[in-house]
Amino acid sequence: IRHGICEGNLEGRYIGRTQSPLAQEGIQALLELKRKGIYPEAKKYYASPCVRCVDTLKVLYPTADPEVILELAERDFGDWENKKAEELKNDPKFVAWMNGGQHEAPPNGESSIVFMQRVCAGFEMLVKNMMMTGDETAVLVTHAQDNAITFSNLRLLTRPLAYGMIQ
């Protein structure tokens, strides 16, 4: 599950490691989807360490005690953290990164390759943990990029991302 809309999302900022709280409208949207019954129950609950992910999990599953997986943190945007694309549009490194340079990285941040490797390692750790404990169901609240990278690399994306869910 992708985390709910947070203040930084509404402002159009790169908020990888920034602890941006859920926006009130993000909480309301989560609660509305919860009322519709689209979120599954599970034996285990996992979250990225970002407050917006843990808070999303707590909104949807108030009694859950999530295991936080550090490797599933959002990308480190380095010097671009908490900035808007408009502020960065004339930065040649930003332009190269936006044009798909997998080896490009924000100054003092993560390249796409490093980010992908970290997230996949975190997801692998989650799966191994479930296999060791015999848990067959889990909920993971993380970031859109984490979800897309993990599931596309593992060929587990079975339908387009909709309502913040992957089945």
Side-chain angles (χ1 to χ4, degrees):
I1 300 171
R2 182 194 186 265
H3 63 77
I5 301 297
C6 61
E7 295 294 335
N9 295 141
L10 294 176
E11 297 168 1
R13 298 185 179 281
Y14 286 95
I15 53 162
R17 299 297 172 97
T18 299
Q19 296 299 335
S20 183
L22 291 176
Q24 193 58 41
E25 68 186 67
I27 294 169
Q28 293 306 313
L30 288 168
L31 290 172
E32 180 60 30
L33 291 171
K34 181 179 178 180
R35 277 190 286 282
K36 292 180 180 180
I38 71 164
Y39 294 110
E41 291 297 324
K43 286 191 174 191
K44 289 289 285 186
Y45 295 87
Y46 297 92
S48 156
C50 295
V51 68
R52 56 195 178 268
C53 294
V54 175
D55 287 354
T56 294
L57 199 139
K58 288 297 189 178
V59 166
L60 298 175
Y61 306 96
T63 61
D65 183 21
E67 182 176 331
V68 171
I69 300 179
L70 298 177
E71 291 82 1
L72 296 179
E74 175 63 285
R75 178 192 299 259
D76 184 347
F77 290 113
D79 295 350
W80 300 340
E81 188 70 31
N82 212 24
K83 293 186 178 175
K84 296 180 180 183
E86 181 67 24
E87 298 172 65
L88 300 168
K89 68 181 181 184
N90 295 322
D91 180 336
K93 285 187 171 248
F94 180 74
V95 172
W97 180 71
M98 288 297 290
N99 287 329
Q102 291 185 354
H103 298 286
E104 298 295 329
N108 300 306
E110 289 179 296
S111 69
S112 295
I113 296 291
V114 169
F115 175 59
M116 180 182 68
Q117 290 171 338
R118 174 174 57 78
V119 168
C120 287
F123 186 74
E124 182 180 345
M125 184 172 49
L126 180 155
V127 171
K128 284 180 179 178
N129 181 350
M130 289 181 65
M131 291 172 68
M132 286 183 357
T133 60
D135 294 322
E136 295 180 2
T137 59
V139 166
L140 167 62
V141 179
T142 188
H143 309 274
Q145 269 194 332
D146 288 27
N147 287 337
I149 285 172
T150 301
F151 291 99
S152 64
N153 278 299
L154 298 174
R155 310 257 191 293
L156 294 174
L157 190 58
T158 59
R159 68 180 184 139
L161 295 175
Y163 301 108
M165 294 188 61
I166 297 175
Q167 292 186 338

